[in-house]
Amino acid sequence: MEEIPSNTQTMPAPDGGFNFLTPEAWKALLSRYSHIVLVANSEAVDFERLRFELPETALYVFFNKVYKVLDEPFVGNAVLVARSGVMGANIVHRREVTDVLRFFTGDDFLGIVNVRVATEENFSEESRFEGAKARHLDLTQILGDLYPVGRIPTSGFALALWLADLQLPGKIVLAGFSAKRSEKWKVFDVHDWTFEQIFLRLFARMGTISMMGGVDASPYSSLAKRFPQVPPIEIAMTAAEVLSERLDNANGQIDRLMSVTKSIRAIENFFRRFKPKTRKQRFLEKSKE
């Protein structure tokens, strides 16, 4: 990652041996780009549109398993965000560093940013990233009581909020943030996708960020045009009423499905007891000793 010419730009590392930057240093580094593009690991990402509409001065931010969206080495300004888990950066303990770095072979690759968002997550030392320059970014404090209890923010959501707080001169663009499960890639239930989508779309309507791909134009905007005499709050409440009824109907069908598959789940749970423990499970058990 490009060096920042100042002796006062680094912060003391509370965990020892990690590379932290002050908010001012991050702002100095990122302000040179006209756009900061967060690229979700989603089939909704449209690289052809991104490259056509955005200038070469854009910085593309990728996350963890970039082979979900890249088929060949990326050409352009790029940085890789490596999310941490309890065992350190996920791409480190899963031995995927080499697999993801092969997509960034050019001089425009700034390096890796090892991010943690929850207090139980731990950083990995720079030496674990196969020679790539790495910085560390602790985002555990920026969310505070904002995020729903019992859920963990996605890396993209936390980073979008952090970038907005930096008040960069460039535009923040979210590409492919659909929060939809596809046939190829799943979404994890530990995140509150509904909350994140509401938050990010409000951000977009305020002009703080922009969203490309994965988000259709609001179907309710046409209702406001058709019924100009109806206050927006009434339209929103009517839409919520209909959605609530549909959700109740869906929950009824889910309950029936759970009942029908009860025996199947019992068999599955029985055989799960014989499944070997994962490295993460062994690590957690050992850490409790």
Side-chain angles (χ1 to χ4, degrees):
M1 183 172 291
E2 186 171 347
E3 295 292 341
I4 299 177
S6 173
N7 294 328
T8 61
Q9 299 286 356
T10 58
M11 297 173 60
D15 298 287
F18 299 117
N19 298 323
F20 291 87
L21 296 178
T22 63
E24 292 76 17
W26 280 115
K27 187 171 183 177
L29 177 62
L30 299 175
S31 291
R32 65 192 67 181
Y33 300 102
S34 61
H35 300 75
I36 309 295
V37 188
L38 306 187
V39 183
N41 288 333
S42 167
E43 294 175 344
V45 175
D46 187 346
F47 272 110
E48 184 175 350
R49 178 187 174 190
L50 288 173
R51 289 310 186 100
F52 178 77
E53 295 187 8
L54 300 180
E56 294 182 356
T57 51
L59 172 67
Y60 292 82
V61 182
F62 294 91
F63 298 88
N64 293 315
K65 300 180 179 182
V66 294
Y67 45 77
K68 291 184 177 182
V69 290
L70 294 178
D71 297 321
E72 58 186 8
F74 182 78
V75 178
N77 303 312
V79 64
L80 175 66
V81 171
R83 175 67 176 268
S84 278
V86 294
M87 297 176 65
N90 292 326
I91 61 173
V92 170
H93 83 79
R94 292 172 182 165
R95 302 183 177 92
E96 297 173 333
V97 177
T98 301
D99 293 335
V100 296
L101 285 181
R102 65 186 176 89
F103 290 97
F104 306 104
T105 58
D107 295 333
D108 295 330
F109 178 54
L110 299 187
I112 294 174
V113 180
N114 185 193
V115 171
R116 76 170 184 171
V117 175
T119 54
E120 63 270 19
E121 297 172 352
N122 297 297
F123 291 117
S124 289
E125 295 84 357
E126 183 179 2
S127 59
R128 303 294 303 278
F129 293 103
E130 306 293 340
K133 185 67 177 178
R135 298 287 187 187
H136 295 84
L137 180 61
D138 191 340
L139 300 180
T140 56
Q141 300 299 319
I142 68 166
L143 296 170
D145 298 329
L146 173 67
Y147 208 81
V149 177
R151 298 297 183 91
I152 302 175
T154 64
S155 304
F157 175 80
L159 209 66
L161 184 58
W162 173 70
L163 288 170
D165 287 344
L166 284 181
Q167 297 182 339
L168 300 170
K171 297 181 179 179
I172 303 170
V173 180
L174 273 56
F177 278 61
S178 67
K180 297 177 182 178
R181 178 172 186 156
S182 67
E183 294 183 2
K184 188 176 182 181
W185 306 114
K186 65 181 180 180
V187 296
F188 294 97
D189 193 45
V190 295
H191 311 302
D192 193 324
W193 299 99
T194 301
F195 174 82
E196 292 194 6
Q197 282 293 304
I198 294 173
F199 194 104
L200 293 176
R201 294 187 192 197
L202 287 174
F203 249 11
R205 287 170 183 171
M206 290 170 55
T208 306
I209 63 172
S210 61
M211 303 179 73
M212 296 176 61
V215 179
D216 299 325
S218 173
Y220 302 108
S221 60
S222 59
L223 292 176
K225 294 178 181 178
R226 179 62 179 83
F227 302 103
Q229 71 277 18
V230 180
I233 186 61
E234 290 295 333
I235 296 177
M237 291 182 65
T238 303
E241 178 185 344
V242 174
L243 291 174
S244 178
E245 291 177 359
R246 291 183 58 82
L247 181 60
D248 285 341
N249 292 334
N251 284 338
Q253 297 301 316
I254 292 172
D255 287 341
R256 290 184 59 189
L257 182 62
M258 294 295 290
S259 177
V260 171
T261 60
K262 183 178 180 180
S263 58
I264 298 176
R265 286 183 283 112
I267 295 173
E268 180 188 17
N269 291 333
F270 174 78
F271 284 103
R272 277 183 178 275
R273 294 186 297 175
F274 303 100
K275 184 178 179 181
K277 294 180 180 179
T278 63
R279 293 175 58 236
K280 181 177 180 180
Q281 289 172 329
R282 295 196 299 270
F283 174 82
L284 291 173
E285 289 180 356
K286 186 176 181 180
S287 64
K288 293 179 181 178
E289 295 178 355

